[in-house]
Amino acid sequence: MSSRIRKKAAAEPPSIETLRARIDEINLKILRLLSLRASLATEIGRLKHHDGGVVYQPLRERQVIEKMIAENQGPLGDEHIKQIFVEIISACRALEHVPRVAFLGPEHTYSHEAAVMRFGSSIELAPQPSFASVFNEVENGRADFGVVPVENSTEGSVTLTLDLLIDTPLVIIGEILLPIRHSMLSREGDRALVKKIVSHQQSLAQCRGYLAANFPHCETQPVASNSLAAQLAADDPSLGAIASAAAGEAYGLKTIAANIQDIASNTTRFIVMGTRATDRSGADKTTALFAVADRVGALNEALSLFARNSINISKIESRPLRARPWEYLFFVDLMGHREDPNLARALKALARKALFLKVLGSYPEGRSAAA
Protein backbone atom coordinates (compact mmCIF):
# COMPACT_ATOMS: atom_id res chain seq x y z
CA MET A 1 0.00 0.00 0.00
CA SER A 2 1.42 3.39 -1.02
CA SER A 3 2.01 6.15 1.55
CA ARG A 4 -0.70 8.25 -0.17
CA ILE A 5 -3.30 5.49 0.36
CA ARG A 6 -2.20 4.99 3.96
CA LYS A 7 -2.57 8.70 4.69
CA LYS A 8 -6.02 8.73 3.12
CA ALA A 9 -7.09 5.75 5.23
CA ALA A 10 -5.73 7.39 8.38
CA ALA A 11 -7.65 10.60 7.63
CA GLU A 12 -11.01 8.84 7.31
CA PRO A 13 -13.29 9.57 10.31
CA PRO A 14 -14.08 6.66 12.62
CA SER A 15 -17.32 4.83 12.01
CA ILE A 16 -20.33 4.91 14.34
CA GLU A 17 -19.59 1.29 15.27
CA THR A 18 -16.02 2.22 16.26
CA LEU A 19 -17.19 5.14 18.38
CA ARG A 20 -19.87 3.02 20.05
CA ALA A 21 -17.31 0.34 20.86
CA ARG A 22 -15.17 3.01 22.49
CA ILE A 23 -18.17 4.25 24.49
CA ASP A 24 -18.84 0.69 25.66
CA GLU A 25 -15.26 0.45 26.94
CA ILE A 26 -15.61 3.75 28.80
CA ASN A 27 -18.97 2.67 30.27
CA LEU A 28 -17.30 -0.40 31.76
CA LYS A 29 -14.54 1.76 33.25
CA ILE A 30 -17.14 4.13 34.72
CA LEU A 31 -19.02 1.18 36.21
CA ARG A 32 -15.88 -0.23 37.83
CA LEU A 33 -14.99 3.19 39.25
CA LEU A 34 -18.53 3.69 40.56
CA SER A 35 -18.38 0.30 42.27
CA LEU A 36 -15.04 1.22 43.83
CA ARG A 37 -16.43 4.56 44.99
CA ALA A 38 -19.45 2.86 46.50
CA SER A 39 -17.20 0.39 48.37
CA LEU A 40 -15.16 3.24 49.84
CA ALA A 41 -18.35 5.12 50.80
CA THR A 42 -19.62 1.99 52.55
CA GLU A 43 -16.37 1.72 54.51
CA ILE A 44 -16.60 5.38 55.51
CA GLY A 45 -20.18 4.72 56.63
CA ARG A 46 -19.01 1.85 58.79
CA LEU A 47 -16.41 4.09 60.43
CA LYS A 48 -18.94 6.89 60.97
CA HIS A 49 -21.33 4.43 62.57
CA HIS A 50 -18.57 3.23 64.88
CA ASP A 51 -17.68 6.80 65.85
CA GLY A 52 -21.27 8.01 66.16
CA GLY A 53 -21.04 10.26 63.10
CA VAL A 54 -23.96 11.31 60.90
CA VAL A 55 -24.63 9.92 57.44
CA TYR A 56 -25.62 13.21 55.79
CA GLN A 57 -22.68 15.59 55.52
CA PRO A 58 -23.85 18.64 53.54
CA LEU A 59 -20.48 20.40 53.82
CA ARG A 60 -18.56 17.42 52.46
CA GLU A 61 -21.07 16.85 49.67
CA ARG A 62 -20.89 20.50 48.66
CA GLN A 63 -17.09 20.39 48.60
CA VAL A 64 -17.14 17.34 46.34
CA ILE A 65 -19.58 18.90 43.86
CA GLU A 66 -17.80 22.27 43.78
CA LYS A 67 -14.46 20.57 43.16
CA MET A 68 -15.92 18.61 40.25
CA ILE A 69 -17.42 21.78 38.77
CA ALA A 70 -14.07 23.57 39.15
CA GLU A 71 -12.34 20.73 37.29
CA ASN A 72 -14.97 20.53 34.56
CA GLN A 73 -13.61 21.29 31.09
CA GLY A 74 -16.76 20.45 29.13
CA PRO A 75 -18.49 19.68 26.90
CA LEU A 76 -20.98 18.90 29.70
CA GLY A 77 -22.14 22.05 31.46
CA ASP A 78 -21.57 22.70 35.17
CA GLU A 79 -25.24 22.08 35.97
CA HIS A 80 -25.06 18.66 34.29
CA ILE A 81 -21.95 17.81 36.32
CA LYS A 82 -23.73 18.90 39.48
CA GLN A 83 -26.77 16.74 38.72
CA ILE A 84 -24.62 13.70 37.94
CA PHE A 85 -22.67 13.93 41.18
CA VAL A 86 -25.76 14.66 43.28
CA GLU A 87 -27.12 11.32 42.06
CA ILE A 88 -23.82 9.49 42.59
CA ILE A 89 -23.58 10.82 46.14
CA SER A 90 -27.25 10.03 46.76
CA ALA A 91 -26.85 6.41 45.62
CA CYS A 92 -23.71 5.90 47.71
CA ARG A 93 -25.33 7.52 50.76
CA ALA A 94 -28.27 5.14 50.41
CA LEU A 95 -25.88 2.21 50.95
CA GLU A 96 -25.45 3.53 54.51
CA HIS A 97 -28.98 4.78 55.09
CA VAL A 98 -31.86 5.80 52.83
CA PRO A 99 -32.97 9.17 54.23
CA ARG A 100 -36.67 9.88 54.53
CA VAL A 101 -37.37 13.43 53.38
CA ALA A 102 -40.66 15.16 54.23
CA PHE A 103 -41.96 17.96 52.00
CA LEU A 104 -45.19 19.75 51.24
CA GLY A 105 -46.93 17.35 48.87
CA PRO A 106 -48.20 15.90 46.75
CA GLU A 107 -45.44 14.69 44.44
CA HIS A 108 -44.57 16.63 41.27
CA THR A 109 -44.70 19.97 43.09
CA TYR A 110 -41.80 22.40 43.30
CA SER A 111 -41.20 21.24 46.88
CA HIS A 112 -40.77 17.71 45.53
CA GLU A 113 -38.36 19.05 42.91
CA ALA A 114 -36.37 20.93 45.56
CA ALA A 115 -36.06 17.80 47.73
CA VAL A 116 -34.69 15.74 44.85
CA MET A 117 -32.44 18.61 43.78
CA ARG A 118 -30.80 18.59 47.22
CA PHE A 119 -30.81 14.88 48.14
CA GLY A 120 -30.94 13.09 44.77
CA SER A 121 -33.27 10.27 43.80
CA SER A 122 -32.07 7.64 46.27
CA ILE A 123 -34.32 8.80 49.09
CA GLU A 124 -37.66 7.86 50.58
CA LEU A 125 -40.13 10.60 49.71
CA ALA A 126 -42.63 11.59 52.40
CA PRO A 127 -45.15 14.09 50.95
CA GLN A 128 -47.17 15.89 53.63
CA PRO A 129 -50.53 17.68 53.58
CA SER A 130 -49.34 20.83 55.39
CA PHE A 131 -46.29 22.81 56.49
CA ALA A 132 -46.94 21.78 60.09
CA SER A 133 -46.92 18.11 59.11
CA VAL A 134 -43.48 18.50 57.53
CA PHE A 135 -42.10 19.87 60.80
CA ASN A 136 -43.91 17.23 62.86
CA GLU A 137 -42.51 14.35 60.80
CA VAL A 138 -38.94 15.45 61.52
CA GLU A 139 -39.55 16.48 65.13
CA ASN A 140 -41.07 13.07 65.91
CA GLY A 141 -38.33 11.11 64.16
CA ARG A 142 -40.52 9.80 61.34
CA ALA A 143 -38.42 11.68 58.78
CA ASP A 144 -34.74 12.53 58.71
CA PHE A 145 -35.16 15.90 57.01
CA GLY A 146 -37.86 18.36 56.03
CA VAL A 147 -37.92 20.68 53.02
CA VAL A 148 -40.20 23.75 53.10
CA PRO A 149 -40.39 26.96 51.07
CA VAL A 150 -39.51 30.08 53.02
CA GLU A 151 -39.36 32.85 50.41
CA ASN A 152 -40.17 33.60 46.77
CA SER A 153 -38.31 36.31 44.88
CA THR A 154 -41.58 37.60 43.40
CA GLU A 155 -44.19 37.05 46.12
CA GLY A 156 -42.05 37.42 49.26
CA SER A 157 -41.88 35.36 52.44
CA VAL A 158 -43.93 32.26 53.22
CA THR A 159 -45.41 33.33 56.54
CA LEU A 160 -46.62 29.85 57.54
CA THR A 161 -43.01 28.65 57.52
CA LEU A 162 -41.82 31.65 59.52
CA ASP A 163 -44.47 31.05 62.18
CA LEU A 164 -43.51 27.37 62.53
CA LEU A 165 -39.85 28.29 62.93
CA ILE A 166 -40.63 30.22 66.11
CA ASP A 167 -41.35 27.17 68.26
CA THR A 168 -39.65 24.27 66.51
CA PRO A 169 -36.69 22.51 68.15
CA LEU A 170 -35.32 21.74 64.66
CA VAL A 171 -32.46 23.63 63.05
CA ILE A 172 -31.95 24.87 59.52
CA ILE A 173 -29.14 22.84 57.94
CA GLY A 174 -29.31 24.02 54.35
CA GLU A 175 -31.08 26.08 51.73
CA ILE A 176 -32.09 25.38 48.14
CA LEU A 177 -32.55 28.07 45.51
CA LEU A 178 -34.92 26.64 42.92
CA PRO A 179 -35.67 28.56 39.70
CA ILE A 180 -39.43 28.47 39.15
CA ARG A 181 -40.38 27.75 35.55
CA HIS A 182 -44.13 27.67 35.05
CA SER A 183 -45.82 26.09 32.03
CA MET A 184 -49.35 26.44 30.73
CA LEU A 185 -50.61 22.89 30.31
CA SER A 186 -53.78 21.18 29.17
CA ARG A 187 -54.97 17.74 28.14
CA GLU A 188 -55.17 18.57 24.43
CA GLY A 189 -52.56 21.33 24.24
CA ASP A 190 -55.06 23.59 22.47
CA ARG A 191 -55.45 27.03 24.03
CA ALA A 192 -58.78 27.56 22.26
CA LEU A 193 -60.34 24.81 24.39
CA VAL A 194 -59.25 26.35 27.71
CA LYS A 195 -62.10 28.03 29.61
CA LYS A 196 -60.73 28.05 33.18
CA ILE A 197 -57.18 28.11 34.56
CA VAL A 198 -56.28 26.36 37.81
CA SER A 199 -53.09 26.57 39.89
CA HIS A 200 -51.78 27.38 43.33
CA GLN A 201 -52.59 30.98 44.25
CA GLN A 202 -48.91 31.99 44.27
CA SER A 203 -48.38 30.58 40.78
CA LEU A 204 -51.43 32.47 39.51
CA ALA A 205 -49.95 35.66 40.99
CA GLN A 206 -46.55 34.98 39.43
CA CYS A 207 -48.15 34.66 35.98
CA ARG A 208 -50.78 37.40 36.15
CA GLY A 209 -49.20 39.39 33.31
CA TYR A 210 -49.09 36.39 31.00
CA LEU A 211 -52.69 35.50 31.85
CA ALA A 212 -53.92 39.03 31.21
CA ALA A 213 -52.25 39.08 27.80
CA ASN A 214 -53.07 35.54 26.64
CA PHE A 215 -56.17 34.37 28.55
CA PRO A 216 -57.98 37.60 29.45
CA HIS A 217 -61.46 36.04 29.39
CA CYS A 218 -60.63 32.89 31.33
CA GLU A 219 -61.69 32.40 34.92
CA THR A 220 -58.88 31.54 37.35
CA GLN A 221 -59.30 29.21 40.31
CA PRO A 222 -56.74 28.70 43.10
CA VAL A 223 -56.21 25.08 44.17
CA ALA A 224 -54.09 23.46 46.89
CA SER A 225 -51.07 22.71 44.68
CA ASN A 226 -49.80 22.89 41.11
CA SER A 227 -49.71 19.10 41.08
CA LEU A 228 -53.43 18.98 41.87
CA ALA A 229 -54.01 21.53 39.10
CA ALA A 230 -52.27 19.23 36.63
CA GLN A 231 -54.31 16.27 37.86
CA LEU A 232 -57.56 18.20 37.42
CA ALA A 233 -56.58 19.32 33.91
CA ALA A 234 -55.87 15.72 32.94
CA ASP A 235 -59.55 14.93 33.55
CA ASP A 236 -61.07 18.03 31.97
CA PRO A 237 -60.07 19.39 28.52
CA SER A 238 -61.56 22.80 29.35
CA LEU A 239 -59.03 23.37 32.16
CA GLY A 240 -55.61 24.89 31.75
CA ALA A 241 -53.10 24.19 34.53
CA ILE A 242 -50.14 26.31 35.54
CA ALA A 243 -47.55 23.87 36.81
CA SER A 244 -44.04 22.58 36.20
CA ALA A 245 -43.07 20.66 33.09
CA ALA A 246 -42.44 17.64 35.34
CA ALA A 247 -46.02 17.76 36.66
CA GLY A 248 -47.32 17.98 33.09
CA GLU A 249 -45.30 14.94 32.09
CA ALA A 250 -46.47 12.99 35.14
CA TYR A 251 -50.15 13.56 34.29
CA GLY A 252 -49.86 13.26 30.50
CA LEU A 253 -50.53 16.91 29.70
CA LYS A 254 -49.41 18.85 26.64
CA THR A 255 -47.62 22.20 26.78
CA ILE A 256 -49.40 25.27 25.48
CA ALA A 257 -46.54 27.58 26.54
CA ALA A 258 -43.40 27.25 28.64
CA ASN A 259 -41.68 29.74 30.97
CA ILE A 260 -44.80 31.86 31.41
CA GLN A 261 -43.75 33.44 34.74
CA ASP A 262 -43.78 37.22 34.53
CA ILE A 263 -40.27 37.57 35.96
CA ALA A 264 -37.65 35.36 34.29
CA SER A 265 -35.50 35.17 37.43
CA ASN A 266 -38.40 33.95 39.59
CA THR A 267 -36.82 31.78 42.31
CA THR A 268 -38.11 30.09 45.44
CA ARG A 269 -35.85 29.62 48.43
CA PHE A 270 -36.40 26.41 50.37
CA ILE A 271 -34.84 25.52 53.72
CA VAL A 272 -33.81 22.07 54.87
CA MET A 273 -34.75 21.26 58.46
CA GLY A 274 -32.86 18.70 60.55
CA THR A 275 -31.96 17.83 64.11
CA ARG A 276 -28.19 18.42 64.12
CA ALA A 277 -26.35 21.65 63.36
CA THR A 278 -23.87 21.85 60.48
CA ASP A 279 -20.21 22.80 60.61
CA ARG A 280 -18.68 25.86 59.01
CA SER A 281 -18.15 25.75 55.25
CA GLY A 282 -16.50 29.14 54.79
CA ALA A 283 -19.51 30.50 52.86
CA ASP A 284 -22.34 30.32 55.36
CA LYS A 285 -25.57 32.01 56.30
CA THR A 286 -27.17 32.20 59.76
CA THR A 287 -30.87 32.69 60.38
CA ALA A 288 -31.98 34.04 63.77
CA LEU A 289 -35.07 35.58 65.31
CA PHE A 290 -35.29 38.04 68.18
CA ALA A 291 -37.61 40.45 69.96
CA VAL A 292 -36.73 43.81 71.48
CA ALA A 293 -38.42 46.11 73.97
CA ASP A 294 -41.17 48.34 72.62
CA ARG A 295 -39.30 51.62 72.87
CA VAL A 296 -37.79 54.17 70.52
CA GLY A 297 -34.44 53.07 69.07
CA ALA A 298 -34.49 49.51 70.42
CA LEU A 299 -34.47 47.84 67.00
CA ASN A 300 -31.79 50.20 65.69
CA GLU A 301 -29.58 49.40 68.70
CA ALA A 302 -29.99 45.68 68.05
CA LEU A 303 -29.17 45.90 64.36
CA SER A 304 -26.18 48.19 64.96
CA LEU A 305 -24.48 45.31 66.79
CA PHE A 306 -24.09 43.51 63.46
CA ALA A 307 -22.74 46.59 61.69
CA ARG A 308 -20.18 47.09 64.47
CA ASN A 309 -18.95 43.56 63.94
CA SER A 310 -18.89 43.84 60.13
CA ILE A 311 -21.77 41.38 59.69
CA ASN A 312 -23.94 41.83 56.61
CA ILE A 313 -27.71 41.44 57.10
CA SER A 314 -29.07 39.97 53.85
CA LYS A 315 -32.70 39.98 54.99
CA ILE A 316 -34.91 41.19 57.83
CA GLU A 317 -38.58 40.30 58.27
CA SER A 318 -41.05 41.09 61.06
CA ARG A 319 -43.83 38.86 62.39
CA PRO A 320 -46.37 39.84 65.07
CA LEU A 321 -45.90 38.35 68.53
CA ARG A 322 -48.78 36.09 69.46
CA ALA A 323 -50.87 37.32 72.40
CA ARG A 324 -48.98 40.65 72.41
CA PRO A 325 -50.69 42.97 69.90
CA TRP A 326 -48.46 45.44 68.03
CA GLU A 327 -45.24 43.82 69.21
CA TYR A 328 -43.04 41.93 66.79
CA LEU A 329 -40.44 39.24 66.30
CA PHE A 330 -37.70 39.95 63.78
CA PHE A 331 -36.21 37.29 61.51
CA VAL A 332 -32.74 38.08 60.17
CA ASP A 333 -30.48 36.33 57.69
CA LEU A 334 -26.86 37.05 58.52
CA MET A 335 -23.82 36.29 56.40
CA GLY A 336 -21.49 33.99 58.30
CA HIS A 337 -21.60 31.02 60.67
CA ARG A 338 -22.60 31.37 64.30
CA GLU A 339 -19.16 30.04 65.28
CA ASP A 340 -17.34 32.75 63.31
CA PRO A 341 -15.74 35.09 65.90
CA ASN A 342 -17.40 38.30 64.65
CA LEU A 343 -20.87 36.80 64.39
CA ALA A 344 -20.54 34.94 67.69
CA ARG A 345 -19.63 38.24 69.36
CA ALA A 346 -22.57 40.06 67.79
CA LEU A 347 -25.04 37.33 68.78
CA LYS A 348 -23.73 37.30 72.35
CA ALA A 349 -24.22 41.07 72.59
CA LEU A 350 -27.71 40.79 71.09
CA ALA A 351 -28.67 38.12 73.64
CA ARG A 352 -27.98 40.68 76.39
CA LYS A 353 -30.10 43.39 74.78
CA ALA A 354 -32.98 41.38 73.28
CA LEU A 355 -36.07 40.17 75.10
CA PHE A 356 -35.72 36.92 73.18
CA LEU A 357 -33.11 35.44 70.81
CA LYS A 358 -33.15 32.14 68.95
CA VAL A 359 -30.56 31.08 66.39
CA LEU A 360 -32.46 28.92 63.91
CA GLY A 361 -29.36 27.55 62.23
CA SER A 362 -26.11 28.19 60.40
CA TYR A 363 -25.74 26.45 57.04
CA PRO A 364 -23.91 26.65 53.69
CA GLU A 365 -25.25 29.49 51.60
CA GLY A 366 -27.39 28.24 48.72
CA ARG A 367 -26.34 28.56 45.13
CA SER A 368 -28.71 29.02 42.22
CA ALA A 369 -29.15 26.10 39.84
CA ALA A 370 -27.39 28.09 37.13
CA ALA A 371 -24.31 28.73 39.31
Side-chain angles (χ1 to χ4, degrees):
M1 183 182 291
S2 68
S3 61
R4 180 180 296 178
I5 294 175
R6 286 196 300 270
K7 287 180 180 178
K8 183 178 179 181
E12 289 180 356
S15 66
I16 291 177
E17 289 74 17
T18 301
L19 293 172
R20 284 175 174 168
R22 180 63 179 141
I23 286 176
D24 289 341
E25 292 176 8
I26 293 171
N27 285 341
L28 289 173
K29 290 180 181 178
I30 291 173
L31 178 59
R32 286 193 288 268
L33 289 172
L34 285 173
S35 297
L36 176 58
R37 189 194 192 283
S39 297
L40 293 172
T42 301
E43 179 62 15
I44 290 173
R46 186 188 66 79
L47 294 172
K48 284 193 293 190
H49 179 74
H50 181 269
D51 297 335
V54 294
V55 172
Y56 180 53
Q57 299 280 354
L59 173 55
R60 167 63 180 163
E61 293 184 7
R62 175 170 175 164
Q63 289 171 340
V64 169
I65 291 170
E66 290 188 344
K67 183 175 182 180
M68 294 301 98
I69 290 174
E71 295 289 336
N72 181 34
Q73 297 180 5
L76 290 176
D78 289 349
E79 187 58 29
H80 292 114
I81 295 299
K82 177 181 177 182
Q83 291 172 359
I84 289 167
F85 276 90
V86 164
E87 290 299 332
I88 290 173
I89 292 170
S90 179
C92 290
R93 188 199 309 123
L95 294 173
E96 306 174 50
H97 170 68
V98 178
R100 191 169 193 264
V101 181
F103 63 94
L104 183 65
E107 293 186 15
H108 312 301
T109 60
Y110 290 111
S111 292
H112 177 192
E113 189 175 333
V116 174
M117 179 179 171
R118 165 50 64 96
F119 293 98
S121 300
S122 299
I123 57 175
E124 181 184 351
L125 294 168
Q128 301 299 314
S130 68
F131 289 93
S133 295
V134 175
F135 280 76
N136 287 335
E137 286 295 291
V138 185
E139 290 173 8
N140 294 321
R142 292 188 294 267
D144 298 288
F145 307 104
V147 173
V148 288
V150 70
E151 180 183 12
N152 177 265
S153 59
T154 302
E155 296 300 309
S157 295
V158 180
T159 55
L160 285 173
T161 298
L162 295 182
D163 288 342
L164 288 164
L165 286 170
I166 295 171
D167 297 320
T168 184
L170 303 177
V171 293
I172 304 173
I173 63 170
E175 67 175 357
I176 308 157
L177 302 181
L178 181 70
I180 302 300
R181 303 291 178 258
H182 294 306
S183 294
M184 176 62 74
L185 309 161
S186 74
R187 195 172 81 180
E188 305 301 329
D190 184 351
R191 69 174 57 216
L193 298 177
V194 175
K195 306 303 179 186
K196 180 190 291 187
I197 295 165
V198 291
S199 190
H200 189 274
Q201 59 185 4
Q202 277 213 343
S203 300
L204 291 171
Q206 291 163 13
C207 302
R208 59 170 65 94
Y210 169 84
L211 293 175
N214 294 276
F215 294 89
H217 304 299
C218 285
E219 178 188 352
T220 60
Q221 178 182 331
V223 294
S225 71
N226 292 345
S227 181
L228 176 59
Q231 186 178 355
L232 293 171
D235 294 329
D236 185 344
S238 71
L239 293 182
I242 297 177
S244 67
E249 183 178 351
Y251 292 102
L253 301 179
K254 296 178 181 178
T255 301
I256 294 175
N259 293 330
I260 65 170
Q261 62 280 352
D262 293 336
I263 299 177
S265 59
N266 186 17
T267 300
T268 294
R269 176 185 170 213
F270 294 81
I271 52 176
V272 183
M273 305 302 300
T275 57
R276 299 181 64 164
T278 57
D279 296 328
R280 285 186 285 181
S281 72
D284 298 297
K285 180 183 289 185
T286 295
T287 300
L289 65 90
F290 66 91
V292 294
D294 184 18
R295 61 176 177 78
V296 175
L299 178 59
N300 183 62
E301 289 175 12
L303 296 179
S304 69
L305 297 172
F306 299 113
R308 267 183 246 158
N309 287 279
S310 301
I311 302 298
N312 181 42
I313 301 174
S314 61
K315 179 189 174 185
I316 181 168
E317 177 98 6
S318 64
R319 292 293 296 151
L321 269 170
R322 299 172 199 162
R324 297 182 68 174
W326 314 118
E327 294 189 29
Y328 296 88
L329 283 171
F330 297 93
F331 287 81
V332 288
D333 286 338
L334 309 162
M335 303 313 297
H337 194 282
R338 65 185 301 175
E339 294 179 359
D340 293 344
N342 282 12
L343 183 50
R345 187 164 50 247
L347 290 171
K348 186 176 180 180
L350 179 59
R352 291 194 296 266
K353 284 184 172 291
L355 299 176
F356 170 78
L357 172 65
K358 180 181 180 182
V359 178
L360 296 167
S362 293
Y363 46 91
E365 183 184 2
R367 305 284 170 82
S368 68

